[in-house]
Structures are given as C-alpha cells and as structure tokens.
Amino acid sequence: MAGGVPASVWGFTEDVAQRLDAVRAQTPPGHSGMGTTLSANALSARSDACTLEHVMTPAAYAHMEGLAALLASGWRTW
C-alpha cells in the first residue's frame, strides 16, 4: 500500500466506523487506542496518499493488466 513504507490500512463497515468515532470522541487528545505502531506518521501517510494518487488509478491498472496478460500468455506458450 505505501510503496515499502510500513503502514496499515483498516477496512470495516459504516456501523463499526461510527462506533469507533464515538469511542475516540471520549478519549484524551493524542490517544489512538492502538499503540504507536499503527498510529501513522507523516512519511507513511504521504506514502499512502501517493499510492492512491499515482498508482491506484485507472490508467495504472490498465497498464498493469496489459502487462499481466502478456506475462500470462508467455507462460501458456512456455
């Protein structure tokens, strides 16, 4: 996700997100509740943003899918 930089990505339902927001609203500032490893930092946050902006794009996926098809066709003929 972050181009080799340690980062984490969590996925969950809207209901879970609302519950987490409610709990976080009651905790003191600076308390993530999950420790420093997954609390993010400027480098990992920027790496995530760059990945979303420049790698996970329709054009990039079209290019990667073309290369994957070429690779797969080479394996079939090998």
Side-chain angles (χ1 to χ4, degrees), residues 8 10 24 31-40:
S8 65
W10 292 23
R24 281 196 303 263
H31 178 75
S32 69
M34 60 181 143
T36 57
T37 302
L38 301 177
S39 294

Side-chain angles (χ1 to χ4, degrees), residues 1 48-61 64:
M1 170 65 196
D48 290 345
C50 287
T51 298
L52 292 171
E53 292 171 15
H54 303 289
V55 178
M56 298 181 74
T57 65
Y61 271 91
M64 289 184 278

Side-chain angles (χ1 to χ4, degrees), residues 1-77:
M1 170 65 196
V5 175
S8 65
V9 178
W10 292 23
F12 36 79
T13 65
E14 181 64 27
D15 179 55
V16 171
Q18 290 174 1
R19 291 171 188 243
L20 288 170
D21 286 342
V23 169
R24 281 196 303 263
Q26 298 174 17
T27 59
H31 178 75
S32 69
M34 60 181 143
T36 57
T37 302
L38 301 177
S39 294
N41 61 56
L43 177 61
S44 64
R46 187 63 191 140
S47 297
D48 290 345
C50 287
T51 298
L52 292 171
E53 292 171 15
H54 303 289
V55 178
M56 298 181 74
T57 65
Y61 271 91
H63 179 71
M64 289 184 278
E65 288 169 355
L67 293 175
L70 181 63
L71 180 62
S73 69
W75 278 340
R76 283 193 288 272
T77 60

